[in-house]
Amino acid sequence: MDEGTPHAPPHGPHSSVLSEVMRYLHVVRLQKWILVWSLLAAGGLGVLYYLTAKRIYESSADVLVLQTTGNVMEGKDSNQQSIQNLIPTYQKVLLSNAVIDGAIKSLPPKHRHILKNVPRAKWADELRGGLSVSAARLTNVITLNYRCPDPETSAYVVGSVLDSYLKFMQATHQNSSRETLSVLTKEKLELESQLDTRERQLHSLKSQVGI
């Protein structure tokens, strides 16, 4: 046996495990820096987006719908159900051309910049595009929202739409009341005419029989 010949150390299971651990730690170090740079890049992009993104502001208001007339014999639950059935109609009225046109007319000139470069015939569609209405289930509350880049204008638009809606509903109710009064007046005159005819017939009959 030649004692001067060097021998390579044995490659047992311990050296294999150590090698795998070292390789794993090396990969982890590489991935750590990849993760760090990825987070920094994402953060930088987020800051850049925040600084350059167009700001959008939202204003909202709630409308409580009440029924002030109705059959006194109807129960409270029936009256509430009747209101809830009408909620979709009121939502459509809020976004109707009549209400939107009225809101645009009352909107101060300095807040009409949202309609800049928009043909006048398209003003209602442009304003309606930023509006939304919703109603929570089983309630008689309608929520109106408007979004635009100017917070003050956003609030003014919501207020103008609500004012226009209230004026529209008031005018509608007044017209309905006038129509109802007209019908009742016509019926009253017809009844008076019929009563007068009956009285003349009765008077003529009495004269004929000598009463």
Side-chain angles (χ1 to χ4, degrees), residues 6-200:
H7 294 279
H11 293 282
H14 293 291
S15 63
S16 178
V17 171
L18 181 60
S19 177
E20 291 296 330
V21 170
M22 296 299 293
R23 186 180 299 109
Y24 173 77
L25 293 176
H26 179 68
V27 172
V28 168
R29 281 196 297 269
L30 291 177
Q31 290 184 344
K32 180 185 71 173
W33 287 110
I34 293 175
L35 178 61
V36 169
W37 285 112
S38 298
L39 291 175
L40 290 175
L45 291 174
V47 172
L48 180 63
Y49 174 80
Y50 178 80
L51 294 175
T52 60
K54 186 177 181 180
R55 301 289 194 278
I56 299 295
Y57 299 91
E58 180 178 276
S59 295
S60 62
D62 292 332
V63 181
L64 177 64
V65 180
L66 297 175
Q67 185 171 341
T68 57
T69 59
N71 190 339
V72 294
M73 300 300 293
E74 292 181 352
K76 181 179 179 181
D77 293 339
S78 177
N79 186 38
Q80 180 70 13
Q81 184 62 45
S82 176
I83 295 174
Q84 291 173 3
N85 290 338
L86 290 173
I87 290 296
T89 300
Y90 293 134
Q91 288 179 276
K92 291 183 178 180
V93 171
L94 269 168
L95 298 179
S96 66
N97 284 336
V99 171
I100 299 299
D101 289 340
I104 292 174
K105 290 178 181 178
S106 65
L107 198 63
K110 71 175 184 177
H111 294 300
R112 292 188 183 181
H113 62 84
I114 54 177
L115 303 174
K116 186 179 180 181
N117 300 325
V118 177
R120 193 178 186 88
K122 298 291 185 180
W123 279 9
D125 292 335
E126 179 69 18
L127 192 66
R128 190 184 293 110
L131 288 166
S132 65
V133 292
S134 60
R137 186 172 177 272
L138 300 179
T139 70
N140 54 336
V141 176
I142 299 175
T143 301
L144 174 68
N145 298 283
Y146 183 72
R147 301 180 67 189
C148 80
D150 187 334
E152 186 177 0
T153 297
S154 178
Y156 264 93
V157 169
V158 170
S160 297
V161 172
L162 286 182
D163 287 343
S164 179
Y165 168 78
L166 294 175
K167 290 177 181 178
F168 176 84
M169 295 301 294
Q170 184 178 13
T172 300
H173 291 156
Q174 288 177 347
N175 290 337
S176 178
S177 298
R178 282 195 292 266
E179 291 175 1
T180 302
L181 179 61
S182 177
V183 171
L184 292 176
T185 301
K186 182 179 178 180
E187 292 178 351
K188 176 177 176 292
L189 293 175
E190 290 176 351
L191 289 173
E192 289 177 347
S193 177
Q194 292 175 5
L195 179 60
D196 185 58
T197 300
R198 293 288 187 272
E199 288 179 349
R200 287 199 304 268

Side-chain angles (χ1 to χ4, degrees), residues 1-4 7:
M1 181 175 178
D2 187 0
E3 294 182 357
H7 294 279

